[in-house]
Amino acid sequence: MSAIAARARVGRARIGELTLARGLLLALVAAAALFVASELLSSFADLELAEGLYFFCVLAGLTVLTGLSGQISLGHGALMAVGAYGAALLIGEQHWALVPALAAATAITAVVGLLLGAAATRLRGPYLAGATLAFAVGLPALADKYSSTFGGENGLVVNPPNPPSGLGSSLPLERWEAWIAGAGAVIVLFTLHNLVRSGYGRAMRAVRDDEIAASLCGLRVARVQTLAFVVSAACAGLAGGLLTVVLQLASPGAFQLSLSLSLLTAIVLGGLGSLVGAAWGAAVLVLLPSWTRDIANSFSLSTKVSSNMPLAIYGLVLVVAMLAWPSGIQGGVRAGGARLRALVRSRRGG
Amino acid sequence: MGEEEGGDPGALFEARALTVRFGGITALEDVSVSIAAGEVLGVIGPNGAGKTTLFNVMCGFTRPHSGTMAWEGRTLTHMRAHRLAGMGIARTLQGVGLFGELTVLENVVAGAERFRRTGLVSAVLGLPRADRDERQLRERALAALAELGCEDVAGRHPTTLPFPIQKRVALARALVAEPRLLLLDEPAGGLGADDLGDLTERIRALRGTTAVMLVEHRMDLVMSVCDRIVVLDFGSVIAEGPPAAIGRDPRVLEAYLGQEPGSGDSRGASAPGETQGASAPGGAAA
Ligand SMILES: Nc1ncnc2c1ncn2[C@@H]1O[C@H](COP(=O)(O)OP(=O)(O)O)[C@@H](O)[C@H]1O
Ligand SMILES: [Mg+2]
């Protein structure tokens, strides 16, 4: 292709190339799909949907951090805890309204992320993993230490969110919760979609690939890395706040190290660096445990075996999935789509 | 140090009495180098002479033990890598140093970062002004790629391309920043005769507008494009002058003894990690 043609292609922007138009369309489609789904689903499934949606928030942020900026974090479960307890204190004790409380929980966690991120820029690979791991292990202990504030083992309970009366009295609580979580997820989707497409997304990938070359391009490596941490911490904080609202509880048991580990597993399984992959990961986090439990129960085994079966099946599914789709579920979907298109084209051609 | 007037007033860039030590090794010893606007300056010397170290000090990757630098007559005790592009200094890395997971176009757009006008808020909100800004950078990048005859690989990933093309893309990424000083660290490493001829033309075309500091082992290239040559050996400047004089200088010939001056350096394909100065065997200064 000639240079002139190449230039003409970028010279004028078509609507589809406008980031804002794409982002809004994406948000609109996602919101509509979530609305329809929430209307069709049972109350129990709506609750699962709400859980999946707050998981999407944290996973989307984490996949930007790890997939784009190349930093690993084993501390995102703890960052969720910051948002969850923040929201619980603001809603339960200070009687803040939902939206400002969630916004504040997000902001507080972003600040924690800033501190963590600033420390992280000095660390690489295993050292970074270790530091964030220490954060993940250490933070829940605070809930115990200051049990008068954080409620110790039992955590903090908040009242269920009240649907506005204008929506009618028949609106199930779970559906309302799914809508709240859905609003959060759509905001995260819109924001991160724009960010990933922007020069900042490219800067993160450049820094991930080669820090020296990136700095010679004029990028401030430490700043770019810290920015990724702050953004992903904000997403984790919002996710934590939504968790409090959906479950009406913020307790240390929900934010063990295993949460941080399964978040990392989920973004890898979904497809690292991809927002759609984060959605796959969220679905896996919510659905896989209950599926494996059902499968285990259907075997009518002794309790000793059956109580370990879910874990065994969970592990098995992970191993098989990673073997089948080395670049995650979204990678598999993309490859499948490409194969399908090639097939259609060859049919047409022949 | 307050000696703004100390050195060469007409110099675009000046290094004054730089000394760098790594443990017991003195990589640079009292090295003073200056380059005028639009000049092509060759920096040659056997492996381990300190050429890459000189670039690393100029880019702020290595702190000198003593000495200062001056850019446009203003003294700087140390450089900051991320400031260089904005100041008008670009550098290519020994090897290629491209971003492997970015497309060729994205690589070059990254090099145009200094022309970005919009900030984080516009990016997160996806505002049209951020898009316009991106388009502006992309057009600069495509023009730079076209200039080097690489526009047809804009959508490819660098690792899928032949080595000489990768080196061209790396050059495009440096040139897209429209530098006034370009530091080239072994740009001919791993290139065949055709590509070498092309590179020669390219550097000649820059003469007069962009100052070039060229570290290179290929003497044919150095001799044919440089206005002036500085010879480093064991971290010290042992000779300086026009190519013809350097080619006859006995000290230079001696420094190169056992290391054929005309021989190409086969380390061209080595990893970008080389930029930190890890040296090839056989040339370690004591
Ligand atoms: N980061 C470093 N740590 C220790 N020694 C180094 C480092 N960088 C360079 N050196 C040493 O400094 C000397 C000059 O190296 P270098 O500047 O890479 O030489 P050249 O680029 O001329 O081949 C060599 O002896 C090398 O071993
Ligand atoms: Mg070198």
Side-chain angles (χ1 to χ4, degrees):
Chain A
M1 165 201 335
S2 73
I4 295 162
R7 238 184 266 190
R9 207 182 31 184
V10 297
R12 60 194 139 78
R14 266 174 268 121
I15 280 286
E17 286 171 355
L18 280 178
T19 304
L20 189 59
R22 279 180 48 128
L24 287 175
L25 185 69
L26 189 67
L28 211 65
V29 169
L34 288 172
F35 175 75
V36 171
S38 73
E39 291 287 327
L40 296 177
L41 293 173
S42 69
S43 288
F44 176 72
D46 269 339
L47 186 63
E48 285 190 323
L49 180 61
E51 289 174 2
L53 288 167
Y54 65 66
F55 275 131
F56 170 77
C57 293
V58 60
L59 293 176
L62 187 59
T63 211
V64 165
L65 178 72
T66 304
L68 259 58
S69 91
Q71 301 178 93
I72 196 165
S73 169
L74 295 172
H76 266 54
L79 287 171
M80 277 181 79
V82 172
Y85 276 89
L89 287 170
L90 291 173
I91 295 171
E93 315 272 312
Q94 310 292 323
H95 308 290
W96 282 31
L98 191 67
V99 171
L102 287 174
T106 306
I108 292 166
T109 316
V111 171
V112 175
L114 178 67
L115 300 176
L116 203 59
T121 59
R122 298 169 188 282
L123 304 169
R124 296 286 174 273
Y127 300 100
L128 180 54
T132 52
L133 176 71
F135 178 69
V137 173
L139 195 82
L142 285 182
D144 248 355
K145 186 128 192 281
Y146 302 99
S147 55
S148 56
T149 312
F150 298 118
E153 283 294 311
N154 298 326
L156 299 171
V157 179
V158 298
N159 290 327
N162 284 337
S165 49
L167 293 173
S169 55
S170 63
L171 184 72
L173 176 63
E174 290 82 1
R175 191 163 298 160
W176 175 233
E177 288 169 347
W179 289 0
I180 295 170
V186 167
I187 290 171
V188 166
L189 180 66
F190 174 73
T191 322
L192 293 188
H193 161 270
N194 297 344
L195 185 73
V196 166
R197 265 177 68 94
S198 77
Y200 288 88
R202 183 181 52 245
M204 287 178 193
R205 291 183 290 133
V207 163
R208 172 199 64 195
D209 283 1
D210 191 330
E211 292 185 14
I212 287 176
S215 63
L216 287 173
C217 289
L219 295 168
R220 296 176 162 231
V221 171
R223 276 213 189 162
V224 172
Q225 289 174 331
T226 307
L227 173 69
F229 238 105
V230 171
V231 168
S232 79
C235 294
L238 177 61
L242 292 170
L243 177 145
T244 295
V245 172
V246 170
L247 303 182
Q248 287 117 50
L249 174 71
S251 72
F255 306 106
Q256 298 300 314
L257 178 60
S258 56
L259 173 63
S260 292
L261 296 178
S262 46
L263 293 177
L264 212 51
T265 315
I267 55 163
V268 174
L269 192 58
L272 202 55
S274 145
L275 295 179
V276 184
W280 288 116
V284 167
L285 279 187
V286 174
L287 297 177
L288 199 56
S290 62
W291 284 351
T292 52
R293 218 177 307 120
D294 291 348
I295 296 172
N297 288 342
S298 68
F299 282 118
S300 67
L301 299 158
S302 77
T303 49
K304 235 188 190 158
V305 178
S306 68
S307 63
N308 282 317
M309 273 290 273
L311 198 63
I313 297 174
Y314 190 75
L316 194 69
V317 169
L318 288 186
V319 170
V320 170
M322 290 316 296
L323 286 176
W325 305 300
S327 46
I329 298 174
Q330 184 54 19
V333 169
R334 266 193 216 130
R339 217 170 298 149
L340 205 65
R341 273 196 300 279
L343 197 71
V344 169
R345 220 175 298 138
S346 72
R347 281 281 158 80
R348 258 193 224 146
Chain B
M1 299 211 73
E3 50 164 1
E4 269 82 352
E5 314 82 26
D8 178 357
L12 177 66
F13 173 88
E14 206 184 352
R16 298 171 186 151
L18 293 177
T19 297
V20 174
R21 291 194 193 90
F22 297 109
I25 298 171
T26 301
L28 291 179
E29 172 117 61
D30 199 24
V31 169
S32 295
V33 173
S34 79
I35 181 167
E39 187 185 17
V40 179
L41 175 70
V43 178
I44 63 169
N47 279 333
K51 306 179 297 292
T52 297
T53 302
L54 177 61
F55 273 10
N56 282 344
V57 174
M58 291 175 66
C59 294
F61 293 132
T62 301
R63 287 277 173 101
H65 276 76
S66 59
T68 59
M69 284 165 280
W71 174 248
E72 297 185 306
R74 209 164 328 129
T75 302
L76 307 154
T77 40
H78 61 267
M79 310 294 255
R80 305 275 293 279
H82 66 262
R83 296 243 177 90
L84 296 178
M87 288 163 62
I89 302 177
R91 170 181 175 181
T92 64
L93 297 166
Q94 201 171 330
V96 283
L98 290 172
F99 307 116
E101 304 280 318
L102 270 60
T103 64
V104 163
L105 181 59
E106 286 176 317
N107 263 280
V108 181
V109 173
E113 176 71 22
R114 65 175 284 211
F115 298 113
R116 185 140 58 130
R117 295 283 165 265
T118 56
L120 185 62
V121 175
S122 314
V124 166
L125 296 178
L127 298 184
R129 46 197 298 242
D131 282 339
R132 268 199 302 278
D133 206 16
E134 272 291 297
R135 226 168 27 246
Q136 176 239 134
L137 298 189
R138 222 168 357 164
E139 276 169 32
R140 283 176 184 276
L142 280 169
L145 282 170
E147 184 74 22
L148 286 161
C150 293
E151 74 274 29
D152 53 333
V153 295
R156 302 267 295 272
H157 283 264
T159 45
T160 65
L161 298 171
F163 186 75
I165 307 287
Q166 293 186 34
K167 292 215 73 142
R168 279 184 194 210
V169 174
L171 189 56
R173 186 178 67 184
L175 286 175
V176 76
E178 295 178 5
R180 277 183 304 143
L181 174 59
L182 176 63
L183 310 179
L184 298 174
D185 199 348
E186 303 198 10
L191 296 189
D194 282 0
D195 291 302
L196 190 63
D198 217 73
L199 180 66
T200 308
E201 288 310 308
R202 183 76 38 212
I203 296 173
R204 284 214 180 107
L206 290 172
R207 178 191 277 149
T209 53
T210 307
V212 178
M213 219 161 139
L214 173 68
V215 164
E216 190 45 70
H217 283 280
R218 306 276 279 260
M219 284 305 161
D220 38 355
L221 174 61
V222 174
M223 290 294 169
S224 64
V225 301
C226 291
D227 299 312
R228 192 160 56 93
I229 294 173
V230 166
V231 187
L232 283 177
D233 192 26
F234 293 110
S236 301
V237 176
I238 58 163
E240 186 178 345
I246 291 294
R248 289 190 306 266
D249 193 312
R251 285 165 304 178
V252 179
L253 297 177
E254 190 191 337
Y256 272 100
L257 219 64
Q259 205 184 327
E260 206 49 31
S263 77
D265 184 72
S266 57
R267 293 175 305 143
S270 65
E274 273 276 339
T275 50
Q276 289 299 24
S279 165

